[in-house]
Amino acid sequence: GQNIDQPTEMTATEGAIVQINCTYQTSGFNGLFWYQQHAGEAPTFLSYNVLDGLEEKGRFSSFLSRSKGYSYLLLKELQMKDSASYLCAVRDSNYQLIWGAGTKLIIKP
Amino acid sequence: ETGVTQTPRHLVMGMTNKKSLKCEQHLGHNAMYWYKQSAKKPLELMFVYNFKEQTENNSVPSRFSPECPNSSHLFLHLHTLQPEDSALYLCASSQRTSDTDTQYFGPGTRLTVL
């Protein structure tokens, strides 16, 4: 079966750095997405990786290793507004998105 | 700020009611999706429409009935629902011909079935 694993919850301190991991086992691979979802709001697109390596976008970076079935989202200089759930999703060979259950990130002052 | 809108934002209905959820996308996309989001579970894809044609129906019970009259509008008709259908229903759209085919989501309808 297809599976996306990410930690259920993480806690970090304002101003610090946090890394949210995502491992996947899917039938084929056609890209990996990270989304941010604040409570009661729409998931919003953060990043897309299809080739190995690091993609940087301001305070957020996303890394992919296809051979290891692994990605991480790195958040730097954490702000209170970064408290949210972070969803990892992989597009499989049928071009369907397979979703993880999300990681709830709690930022403490 | 979102290019995908959904109404209503909240809905409470009894098991014998009939209601409809509406989604509209203002992004010029050619694909639209319905997802169900339950607490602590992955997003569940329900239906996909490409160029107004339904291409996916992931074993969704017949009490959920989608309708896509044009590429900008998507409806989910609900009838005789069960309490376990209570969840957040999300609509999304994407441009299937783009490199990334990124999905953009609406704010969702929080549905409670009594």
Side-chain angles (χ1 to χ4, degrees), chain B residues 35-108:
Chain B
Y35 283 93
K36 176 182 179 183
Q37 188 176 35
S38 303
K40 301 185 179 179
K41 288 186 176 180
L43 287 175
E44 299 174 46
L45 180 65
M46 301 174 72
F47 302 104
V48 181
Y49 278 82
N50 278 335
F51 297 98
K52 302 186 299 177
E53 298 296 321
Q54 184 177 316
T55 57
E56 297 286 342
N57 176 343
N58 284 359
S59 303
V60 179
S62 59
R63 58 186 183 268
F64 295 91
S65 173
E67 178 189 1
C68 188
N70 55 61
S71 59
S72 298
H73 293 85
L74 186 65
F75 295 89
L76 189 62
H77 304 299
L78 317 171
H79 63 98
T80 59
L81 294 189
Q82 305 298 310
E84 60 264 29
D85 297 323
S86 297
L88 182 68
Y89 288 85
L90 291 164
C91 173
S93 71
S94 73
Q95 184 61 26
R96 276 290 176 112
T97 49
S98 69
D99 288 343
T100 63
D101 190 20
T102 300
Q103 294 183 18
Y104 293 89
F105 287 83

Side-chain angles (χ1 to χ4, degrees), chain B residues 11-34:
Chain B
L11 179 61
V12 178
M13 58 188 289
M15 289 191 283
T16 58
N17 290 157
K18 289 184 180 181
K19 296 286 184 183
S20 295
L21 310 184
K22 179 182 176 182
C23 175
E24 184 173 0
Q25 60 98 359
H26 311 273
L27 301 170
H29 289 164
N30 53 25
M32 296 187 77
Y33 311 78
W34 279 117

Side-chain angles (χ1 to χ4, degrees), chain A residues 9-86:
Chain A
E9 187 173 299
M10 299 182 70
T11 302
T13 305
E14 190 176 15
I17 299 173
V18 71
Q19 177 176 310
I20 302 174
N21 295 325
C22 170
T23 57
Y24 62 89
Q25 294 170 312
T26 57
S27 55
F29 178 85
N30 282 297
L32 183 144
F33 295 82
W34 284 97
Y35 282 80
Q36 179 191 61
Q37 186 177 24
H38 286 100
E41 297 184 13
T44 55
F45 169 71
L46 287 178
S47 68
Y48 171 74
N49 295 71
V50 67
L51 299 176
D52 291 352
L54 189 68
E55 295 279 344
E56 297 187 76
K57 268 189 186 182
R59 295 189 298 114
F60 292 8
S61 303
S62 56
F63 172 83
L64 174 67
S65 169
R66 287 172 297 172
S67 63
K68 295 181 179 178
Y70 168 69
S71 172
Y72 67 73
L73 181 69
L74 190 71
L75 292 74
K76 302 177 184 176
E77 301 168 16
L78 286 170
Q79 302 175 10
M80 297 303 293
K81 67 179 182 180
D82 298 329
S83 292
S85 288
Y86 291 85

